Amino acid sequence: FTDLFFVTNTIPKMLVNLQSQNKAISYAGCLTQLYFLVSLVTLDNLILAVMAYDRYVAICCPLHYVTAMSPGLCVLLLSLCWGLSVFYGLLLTLLLTRVTFCGPREIHYFFCDMYILLRLACSNTHIIHTVLVATGCFIFLTPLGFMTTSYVRIVRTILQIPSASKKYKAFSTCASHLGVVSLFYGTLAMVCLQPLHTYSMKDSVATVMYAVVTP
């Protein structure tokens, strides 16, 4: 559902823009698109961390899996993911409403991305960019560290399995998740953890990778 909503937020408007002469988007529509983009990127990130924990319990503590990953805990973890995502998306969107835009308001991009909009601003965006980087480091690097720790323990456990076929089965359980994590964080880091003035077209390609390809 998250990934389906993720691509539905941006792709339909992108396809319309490719076929239509009128490529305009309203201010409210742009902020709405930005809100859902930020919220869903954050949600995807947090769910990947929960999935890493799920795999850790399944491989490292298989006999306790049913009790450790109880339905109640799953609901609680997903509720926390949704709550944090909604709050973070709302925080950045409300901060952007305080930015003044003047002069040409043409977005040379596929959709309303935070960095693109900040570059169009004629008011001081230093505080917003500082908040963006600081909160981004916490929201994205904390789950990444959690995932890294989980996978270090998973690899240690798998290497202790004597059977080669069981090792392969355990690794294959994690392969798709690791692939998505690598693509998601690799492209996201290119965009978010850099000064605003260095943002270029290659970074917009990276944004498309985590906003379209990864889901």
Side-chain angles (χ1 to χ4, degrees):
F1 172 77
T2 304
D3 287 340
L4 181 63
F5 200 13
F6 201 161
V7 294
T8 305
N9 179 48
T10 53
I11 289 183
K13 179 61 178 172
M14 285 169 57
L15 295 177
V16 168
N17 287 349
L18 290 173
Q19 298 296 325
S20 172
Q21 294 297 319
N22 180 18
K23 306 180 191 301
I25 185 170
S26 66
Y27 178 71
C30 188
L31 288 183
T32 302
Q33 191 180 68
L34 174 70
Y35 167 75
F36 283 109
L37 180 67
V38 172
S39 298
L40 292 167
V41 167
T42 306
L43 183 58
D44 242 6
N45 162 67
L46 295 175
I47 286 179
L48 285 172
V50 172
M51 290 170 69
Y53 176 70
D54 177 70
R55 279 155 177 75
Y56 161 73
V57 176
I59 293 174
C60 299
C61 313
L63 298 179
H64 298 283
Y65 181 80
V66 176
T67 53
M69 291 301 294
S70 64
L73 179 62
C74 291
V75 170
L76 176 63
L77 289 173
L78 287 175
S79 298
L80 285 172
C81 291
W82 276 94
L84 282 171
S85 303
V86 168
F87 173 75
Y88 187 59
L90 193 60
L91 172 67
L92 294 189
T93 306
L94 289 176
L95 281 174
L96 196 66
T97 60
R98 303 178 66 85
V99 172
T100 304
F101 298 98
C102 52
R105 300 181 183 180
E106 184 174 348
I107 301 173
H108 297 283
Y109 197 45
F110 309 103
F111 45 78
C112 292
D113 181 64
M114 192 76 176
Y115 274 73
I116 293 294
L117 293 175
L118 287 178
R119 292 200 71 173
L120 289 177
C122 57
S123 58
N124 189 353
T125 60
H126 178 71
I127 293 176
I128 295 178
H129 185 251
T130 302
V131 171
L132 180 63
V133 173
T135 55
C137 286
F138 176 76
I139 284 286
F140 294 103
L141 295 185
T142 302
L144 179 60
F146 184 79
M147 281 184 267
T148 303
T149 303
S150 297
Y151 271 106
V152 167
R153 295 185 176 183
I154 286 171
V155 170
R156 284 179 181 173
T157 302
I158 291 175
L159 292 177
Q160 292 173 1
I161 298 174
S163 170
S165 61
K166 289 183 179 179
K167 281 183 181 179
Y168 175 78
K169 184 178 179 181
F171 272 121
S172 64
T173 304
C174 307
S176 60
H177 182 255
L178 278 172
V180 172
V181 168
S182 301
L183 182 61
F184 183 81
Y185 277 97
T187 52
L188 195 63
M190 287 177 62
V191 175
C192 296
L193 302 178
Q194 64 168 307
L196 184 61
H197 67 273
T198 64
Y199 193 87
S200 63
M201 193 60 194
K202 68 178 178 63
D203 300 307
S204 65
V205 174
T207 307
V208 172
M209 287 294 286
Y210 77 70
V212 178
V213 178
T214 304

